[in-house]
Every structure is written in C-alpha cells, then in structure tokens.
Amino acid sequence: MDRHDVNWRGYFAALPTPFSRQGELDLEAFTATVRLFIEQGAHGLLVNGSTGEWAAQSTRERKQLAEAAVSAAAGRVPVIIAVTHTQPARTVELAQHAASAGADAIMVPPPPAVRPCPAELRAYFAEVAASTDLPCWIYNFPQENATHLTVAQIRELVQLPHMVAVKQSAADDRELYATIEAVGDTAVVFGNMLSRLGLAAITSGFGGDGHFGSGMPLGSRMPAFFELAWKGNLEDAGRIADEFAAFMARLKGSEHDGYNWRYGGMQASLKAVMNLQGQPGGYPRRPKLPITAPDALAEISAALTDLGLRIGG
C-alpha cells in the first residue's frame, strides 16, 4: 500500500471538539461542525487531532466522536481518526475502533511525552500499523508531543505496511519540502501548502498534496485555494494565500510557539473565530481556557471583517 492506493489531496480540516461551558462533550455541535465543513468544501476531515483536544477526552468520548464524524460525513469526504496515546495498547484499541466505525484512515504521531529512541519509535509505529488494514498517516508535530521526527526517520517509517501519508507539521517549512523530496513519490505529503510557496510547489510539479489546517477559519476559500491552483488560476489562488497568511499572522502574533497563539491556545483561538461567526465552536475543556477578553475578541472580529467574513452568522 502506498500513495497510489488513496486519493487524498486538497484542504483537510482538523475538527475542533466542542465542549459546553461546563466542560461537557457537545456531540450535537460536533456533528453540525462536520456538516458545516463539508458544506464549505473541505476535501477531508480529521477527528481527535491536536485541534480536537484529544488529550482532554476519555477513550469513550474519542470513540463517540469517531462514530459521529463517520456518520455525519456519510462517505462524502475521507474521515481520518487520530489515535494518539502514550500507551501502545490504547493506540491499537483506538485504531481498531476507527476501522470498525468506518473511518477511511488513522493518523499516528509518536507517543506523546514518552520521547522514544529510534528503535522504540519504529516498534511503536510497526505495532500500530500491523493492528489494522486501514491506511495510516504519520504525524510529525513536535510542538505538541516533544518528539521530532527527522526526514530520515520518516523515510524509514513510510516503508512500514499501511503507512501511506505524512502530515508534516514541523515549524520550519524547509522540513516539509525536504519530506516531499524524500518520500513524495511513494507517500502523500500534507503540510503548510496553503501559501505562496505551496502554490509554487503545486504548479511547478515539485509536489505536495495538501494542507491539514485547524478548522476552516476562512471558510470555502481554503479548499478553493487548491481548486484554483489545480486549474492554474495563480492570481486568485495567490490572493487567498495572502489573505490566509495575513489572518494567521494576526491570530498567532509574532511570539507564538506553534501551539499557543497571541490570544490563547490554538484550540481556544479557533473556537473564538467560529463562535464570532455564529458557528458551533463551543468551548475548550480545562485546563485549556476560552478567550473571553473583550479586547482580544474585538481584535479577532476585526481580522475577520477585514477579510469580508461575517460576524454573528
């Protein structure tokens, strides 16, 4: 199994997990978000990734979300389930549940907080890959899990059975393009492609298949970037790339660490954007906190309205 066995490209949205103010899981809001993102044109969805606050959930809740997403998507777009866990047995349990729920793939990062050595890392990925027939994504996001997969390690891991794709989220975009060069002929590679540099890579034939983003803060413009790029409409695709870069610069600020942004955590920031637009973003679950400062919300609102995005639905 390799990249030729799947048809994944474009903008895939990482779903937030809406909680109530009291911290209860809001499955109704989650289902509404799945439908909203599909209506806005997302080419695929990720459940229980970093944006989805997987660490704040019980195993039962994670399974409920996987089932709800597959049901609501109803085969219209690929649904990928992240199976992040510190314990291999729980990772395998989540992977097998994803398959039984009807997911299209799973996403596997290194086990967080464990900091495995190279031999342990390979053994972990091999065990998870062998536990399911689903295609697997390798997820490199050292800003969250404290293990930084090198391009050489990724090249080795994609040789494992079922490892067909890479979500490269290292902070330095040079690692994304090195990953494309190293494994792009056999594995799908997603990363920070919704950019001017990504547009050049797509249209030049260098490679890069898509972008996994936190939600859809710019709505239908995000998948439209790729559709325009595929058609060779560089002017309109470039305009969207510029809008996205400007918006994210305002949301993240100049001193962000790749995970916590200008006004609060990544998840809280996305939920604030959604709530301001009248969408079912919900609230983060403690210890993450919602963004409530009036000045911060006013500045986020201004960033949205400057792009012509409606406030309040």
Side-chain angles (χ1 to χ4, degrees), residues 151-173:
V151 173
Q153 287 174 317
I154 291 171
R155 184 188 295 114
E156 179 182 4
L157 292 173
V158 297
Q159 297 175 27
L160 293 168
H162 306 141
M163 293 291 176
V164 304
V166 180
K167 182 178 186 292
Q168 176 58 279
S169 297
D172 189 337
D173 281 346

Side-chain angles (χ1 to χ4, degrees), residues 95-124:
Q96 292 175 342
H97 175 266
S100 66
D104 296 280
I106 59 171
M107 181 171 286
V108 189
V114 175
R115 299 188 67 183
C117 72
E120 293 165 342
L121 189 71
R122 180 178 173 82
Y124 178 81

Side-chain angles (χ1 to χ4, degrees), residues 50-51 109-110 139-149 167-171 257-259 266:
S50 303
T51 300
Y139 183 21
N140 186 37
F141 188 33
Q143 298 92 308
E144 179 180 63
N145 64 24
T147 295
H148 193 150
L149 295 175
K167 182 178 186 292
Q168 176 58 279
S169 297
D257 63 3
Y259 194 80
M266 172 180 68

Side-chain angles (χ1 to χ4, degrees), residues 148-228:
H148 193 150
L149 295 175
T150 66
V151 173
Q153 287 174 317
I154 291 171
R155 184 188 295 114
E156 179 182 4
L157 292 173
V158 297
Q159 297 175 27
L160 293 168
H162 306 141
M163 293 291 176
V164 304
V166 180
K167 182 178 186 292
Q168 176 58 279
S169 297
D172 189 337
D173 281 346
R174 288 176 294 184
E175 293 191 49
L176 167 62
Y177 293 100
T179 302
I180 294 170
E181 189 171 24
V183 304
D185 56 339
T186 58
V188 171
V189 180
F190 275 42
N192 183 28
M193 296 292 294
L194 207 170
S195 65
R196 284 280 182 176
L197 191 57
L199 180 59
I202 293 167
T203 55
S204 69
F206 175 77
D209 299 280
H211 183 113
F212 254 113
S214 293
M216 298 189 68
L218 303 192
S220 61
R221 299 181 203 184
M222 306 183 82
F225 165 85
F226 289 94
E227 291 161 13
L228 291 165

